[in-house]
Amino acid sequence: MKKVILSGMRPTGIMHVGHLHGALLNWAGFQDTYTCYFFIADWHALTTEYEDPSVIRESKIDMIIDWMAIGLDPGRCTFFVQSQIKEHAELHLLLSMIVPLPWLERNPTYKEQLRELKTRDLYTYGFLGYPVLQAADILIYKANGVPVGEDQAAHVELTREIARRFNYLYGEVFPIPEVLLTKTSKLLGIDRRKMSKSLNNAIFLRDAPETIRSKVSEMITDPQRARRSDPGDPSVCNVYSFHELYSPYSKVVEIGEACRTAKIGCVECKGIMAQNLIEGLAPIREKALELESKKGEIEEILQEGNRRAREVAQRTMEEVRAKLNL
Ligand code: TRP
Ligand code: SF4
């Protein structure tokens, strides 16, 4: 039996290069070797977007389009939408009975988000239970590995604790999933903060060449390099991080050297990077534009994925119910 890999993303709209290098390419690397489930965590999105769920609905197809455009293949992995597999909700409920409240209250992500997301009232039952729902997502497919970024690692750790507790109380049902930590992407937004759609600093996979050129021209470079004649430090420059991923190796070396000796200016450097980025993203963009005109087919792919996922989730729930024997 192949090992099972599962990961999810909250629906936030079209994907940007941060998603590509921080998650999606890593996901794609698993699809030949493992049984893979990749899903849209719309209930998780609802924990913060409950006042206006319309954004959630609109994002789903766009995300699948981008996932397929970067090479995730619905023939080799299963895509599904969390809210379409009601069994997640039942498992979430059952797990909630055995999760001690302090496990949730001391969750670092929870505390941080309560502090930071001041524009929303997150003092809800659902938001506190976010990791319990995530545990249900993972355990219901008996996942062996969960590829996630640093920010989600604590949630998967908690899933392991929850699985152990369930198995101890009622008997072995769940394998203990491994955290497969994804290196966080070095690519920052054009303003040098974390790349994010809501911060308006993202380069999207489907951006047109002109848009990419203009965004790149606005990028903040080495903040210490005030004048063209000042030497720069590529290791702190976000433009350089893009070069490292999108320019040929010899060019990357040459630009690093030229930057450190002020032989190249940022305007020229950005021009070269923008061109390589445009060419690097072109096949993804083309594929995405092609898929945009086939939304019906994407819809069917999702239906089929939902069906496959539901079958597995139903089987696990039969086992779970038998163990509880209510
Ligand atoms: N919480 C994850 C995020 O915000 C999304 C998610 C929900 C997830 N359920 C999951 C990720 C299960 C991995 C496994 O990115
Ligand atoms: Fe960054 Fe290039 Fe400017 Fe150096 S020359 S600081 S690498 S943009």
Side-chain angles (χ1 to χ4, degrees):
M1 277 273 275
K2 279 202 224 170
K3 296 225 171 198
V4 175
I5 297 286
L6 170 139
S7 197
M9 244 185 226
R10 279 169 295 175
T12 50
I14 55 172
M15 302 278 98
H16 53 59
V17 292
H19 294 121
L20 180 65
H21 296 284
L24 296 176
L25 288 177
N26 185 51
W27 288 8
F30 290 110
Q31 59 185 346
D32 285 323
T33 329
Y34 300 96
T35 300
C36 290
Y37 296 92
F38 299 119
F39 73 99
I40 296 179
D42 53 349
W43 278 339
H44 276 108
L46 203 55
T47 61
T48 55
E49 309 304 316
Y50 59 86
E51 289 188 28
D52 179 14
S54 60
V55 215
I56 301 176
R57 179 169 3 89
E58 287 155 16
S59 301
K60 286 177 197 164
I61 296 285
D62 271 333
M63 284 176 77
I64 300 292
I65 287 176
D66 286 343
W67 291 4
M68 287 172 62
I70 70 102
L72 284 173
D73 172 4
R76 287 179 290 165
C77 44
T78 299
F79 301 146
F80 68 89
V81 178
Q82 182 187 38
S83 66
Q84 300 309 304
I85 320 296
K86 310 299 179 200
E87 286 74 10
H88 290 224
E90 184 182 358
L91 185 56
H92 168 253
L93 175 83
L94 296 175
L95 296 177
S96 78
M97 305 300 168
I98 66 167
V99 178
L101 211 39
W103 289 9
L104 301 177
E105 286 166 340
R106 66 168 174 251
N107 165 15
T109 319
Y110 176 68
K111 289 198 285 192
E112 187 188 305
Q113 300 233 24
L114 266 193
R115 238 183 296 118
E116 285 178 7
L117 287 178
K118 285 289 176 223
T119 52
R120 299 175 179 80
D121 182 4
L122 294 182
Y123 214 66
T124 62
Y125 180 55
F127 191 63
L128 180 66
Y130 187 108
V132 184
L133 180 57
Q134 187 157 347
D137 299 337
I138 296 169
L139 298 176
I140 209 162
Y141 300 98
K142 301 191 177 185
N144 302 105
V146 185
V148 286
E150 192 73 65
D151 62 317
Q152 294 294 316
H155 289 163
V156 185
E157 293 296 343
L158 202 59
T159 301
R160 292 163 58 88
E161 298 298 313
I162 295 172
R164 281 200 197 92
R165 190 163 164 80
F166 183 100
N167 289 346
Y168 168 77
L169 289 169
Y170 310 115
E172 285 297 315
V173 174
F174 302 119
I176 310 300
E178 301 289 330
V179 184
L180 305 173
L181 207 58
T182 315
K183 293 206 271 38
T184 32
S185 162
K186 267 181 79 185
L187 304 182
L188 300 171
I190 60 176
D191 58 1
R192 231 163 158 263
R193 293 187 290 170
K194 185 177 153 63
M195 191 179 287
S196 145
K197 184 176 180 184
S198 55
L199 293 175
N200 239 326
N201 65 2
I203 296 178
F204 296 102
L205 302 183
R206 287 185 232 173
D207 274 347
E210 314 80 74
T211 312
I212 294 182
R213 254 182 227 109
S214 120
K215 286 180 178 175
V216 170
S217 74
E218 284 171 39
M219 274 168 82
I220 297 178
T221 64
D222 170 2
Q224 301 296 322
R225 191 180 189 199
R227 281 174 297 266
R228 167 70 180 79
S229 54
D230 296 341
D233 179 0
S235 71
V236 299
C237 177
N238 189 32
V239 175
Y240 193 72
S241 303
F242 276 79
H243 271 300
E244 289 178 309
L245 289 168
Y246 287 92
S247 299
Y249 181 69
S250 60
K251 196 76 194 168
V252 177
V253 175
E254 184 191 316
I255 283 176
E257 185 52 28
C259 171
R260 275 185 289 268
T261 51
K263 289 204 179 76
I264 189 171
C266 294
V267 174
E268 185 189 346
C269 181
K270 285 173 167 182
I272 300 168
M273 188 277 271
Q275 188 54 36
N276 292 335
L277 178 60
I278 289 165
E279 285 168 22
L281 292 180
I284 297 178
R285 178 165 190 261
E286 272 164 38
K287 181 87 201 200
L289 295 182
E290 179 198 322
L291 292 169
E292 261 184 34
S293 63
K294 300 183 180 163
K295 291 206 170 156
E297 275 172 47
I298 310 274
E299 208 49 87
E300 274 167 37
I301 286 169
L302 259 182
Q303 295 301 337
E304 170 60 19
N306 287 342
R307 207 186 49 70
R308 287 210 296 255
R310 194 173 296 123
E311 237 173 67
V312 177
Q314 280 171 348
R315 238 182 295 132
T316 305
M317 283 316 292
E318 275 162 25
E319 245 182 283
V320 165
R321 291 182 205 121
K323 292 287 188 200
L324 281 147
N325 195 22
L326 291 179

